């Protein structure tokens, strides 16, 4: 199986350790993962702020980069939702049946980590070790658009040493929402405060989720409140073992793929 890692801009720039953790985890399970150098922004930010026509070349480029892989692993639930849910809308906007076929095909092969592990690889016990009390926040895109359900918590419950605490009002939004947090700062802050208060009630050492963007929002509020709880993507928990506790696990293989000339 040829697996490609779609890191997403946010992780690439600010949280590259999450992508490395996914690679380390899949290697431990016997799989090889490529990191195609040609990947760029999926266009979610453009789409959500009204620049939808500018997203069409980004969708075409995404297909160029990931067309030949059996599986595309997305390190961001929100970006995975962009590809699966809104790329067909872009193809309709472009009036291109060819693009529609391509985005449908690549979207069908794109998975969030827990979907890949549980549904495709049939894995629920990843041989992980993480001796800490943890609470899980189901982010909006993974909960409502990808509908990954309890797959992440199924994986987390099988981690040796972990104590998983239920998060009160878990399905409530944390208030980030990308540009929503900028345009509606007061509302975003109020929602984030509620999420932090509920997380603190669990007594957890770590709050985890499938989206680093939401964890950044939550973690920023915790930091300003001097909370000892730390945010951590659940891929990093699954990648941790007794022998390699949140270690590097070696370099990630980057590959060059021939694509059309593209100017981001």
């Amino acid at each position: 199986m040829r697996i490609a890692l779609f890191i997403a801009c946010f992780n690439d720039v600010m949280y590259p350790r999450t992508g490395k953790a996914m690679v380390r985890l899949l290697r431990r399970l016997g799989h090889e993962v490529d990191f195609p150098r040609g990947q760029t922004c999926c266009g979610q930010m453009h789409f959500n702020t009204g620049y939808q026509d500018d997203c069409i070349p980004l969708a075409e480029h995404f297909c160029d980069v990931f067309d030949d892989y059996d599986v595309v692993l997305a390190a961001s639930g929100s970006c995975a939702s962009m590809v699966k849910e809104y790329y067909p809308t872009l193809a309709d906007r472009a009036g291109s049946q060819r693009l529609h076929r391509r985005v449908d095909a690549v979207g069908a092969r794109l998975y969030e980590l827990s979907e890949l592990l549980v549904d495709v690889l049939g894995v629920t016990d990843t041989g992980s070790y993480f001796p800490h009390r943890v609470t899980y926040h189901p982010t909006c895109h993974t909960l409502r658009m990808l509908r990954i359900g309890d797959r992440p918590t199924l994986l987390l419950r099988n981690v040796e040493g972990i104590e998983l605490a239920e998060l009160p009002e878990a399905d409530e939004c944390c208030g980030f929402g990308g540009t929503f947090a900028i345009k509606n700062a007061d509302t975003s802050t109020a929602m984030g405060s509620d999420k932090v208060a509920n997380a603190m009630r669990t007594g957890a050492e770590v709050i985890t989720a499938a989206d680093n963007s939401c964890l950044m929002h939550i973690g920023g509020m915790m930091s300003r409140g001097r909370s000892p709880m730390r945010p951590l993507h659940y891929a990093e928990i699954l990648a941790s073992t007794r022998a390699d506790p949140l270690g590097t696990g070696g370099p990630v293989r980057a590959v060059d793929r021939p694509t059309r000339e593209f100017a981001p």
Side-chain angles (χ1 to χ4, degrees):
M1 180 182 294
R2 301 183 68 238
I3 301 174
L5 175 63
F6 166 42
I7 187 65
C9 304
F10 195 85
N11 290 317
D12 188 39
V13 174
M14 300 185 68
Y15 297 96
R17 64 176 186 255
T18 295
K20 293 178 181 179
M22 291 182 175
V23 173
R24 186 164 74 253
L25 171 62
L26 287 167
R27 281 178 176 169
R28 194 170 76 229
L29 296 174
H31 304 279
E32 193 55 61
V33 184
D34 286 347
F35 179 78
R37 294 180 189 270
Q39 61 184 287
T40 61
C41 177
C42 68
Q44 179 185 186
M45 182 174 64
H46 310 66
F47 189 92
N48 291 343
T49 51
Y51 294 91
Q52 297 184 1
D53 287 340
D54 293 331
C55 295
I56 295 170
L58 292 166
E60 293 173 337
H61 183 72
F62 188 93
C63 293
D64 288 342
V65 172
F66 293 107
D67 253 350
D68 295 336
Y69 286 96
D70 302 314
V71 165
V72 181
L73 170 59
S76 164
S78 62
C79 294
S81 299
M82 175 65 193
V83 174
K84 295 175 78 71
E85 298 292 327
Y86 294 122
Y87 272 15
T89 300
L90 292 177
D92 289 340
R93 190 177 184 90
S96 172
Q97 288 300 313
R98 178 177 180 273
L99 181 58
H100 219 304
R101 289 192 295 270
R102 296 186 77 198
V103 298
D104 287 348
V106 76
R109 300 193 306 274
L110 185 144
Y111 298 92
E112 188 274 335
L113 178 63
S114 69
E115 294 179 302
L116 175 61
L117 292 172
V118 176
D119 297 346
V120 179
L121 302 179
V123 172
T124 56
D125 187 341
T126 55
S128 311
Y129 175 70
F130 194 75
H132 301 282
R133 185 173 174 86
V134 176
T135 191
Y136 172 74
H137 166 56
T139 63
C140 292
H141 283 91
T142 55
L143 180 70
R144 296 176 174 87
M145 297 185 73
L146 296 182
R147 301 182 186 276
I148 63 174
D150 64 351
R151 293 175 182 86
T153 52
L154 174 63
L155 293 162
L156 289 169
R157 288 191 186 100
N158 283 314
V159 172
E160 182 185 358
I162 201 169
E163 183 183 358
L164 197 59
E166 185 174 351
L167 179 65
E169 300 180 24
D171 60 351
E172 293 295 321
C173 177
C174 73
F176 179 63
T179 53
F180 173 84
I182 299 172
K183 295 179 177 180
N184 303 277
D186 291 343
T187 303
S188 173
T189 300
M191 295 169 74
S193 296
D194 289 343
K195 181 61 66 174
V196 168
N198 284 326
M200 294 301 296
R201 278 189 218 140
T202 68
E205 302 166 67
V206 171
I207 182 167
T208 193
D211 276 280
N212 275 323
S213 52
C214 298
L215 288 173
M216 180 194 69
H217 181 64
I218 296 168
M221 301 196 72
M222 287 181 167
S223 176
R224 286 188 289 277
R226 300 188 182 279
S227 167
M229 191 181 301
R230 61 180 174 131
L232 189 68
H233 195 288
Y234 83 99
E236 296 175 64
I237 295 175
L238 297 181
S240 181
T241 65
R242 286 182 180 271
D244 186 21
L246 294 179
T248 60
V252 178
R253 182 178 70 178
V255 295
D256 291 308
R257 295 285 309 283
T259 60
R260 73 186 70 194
E261 183 178 346
F262 178 79

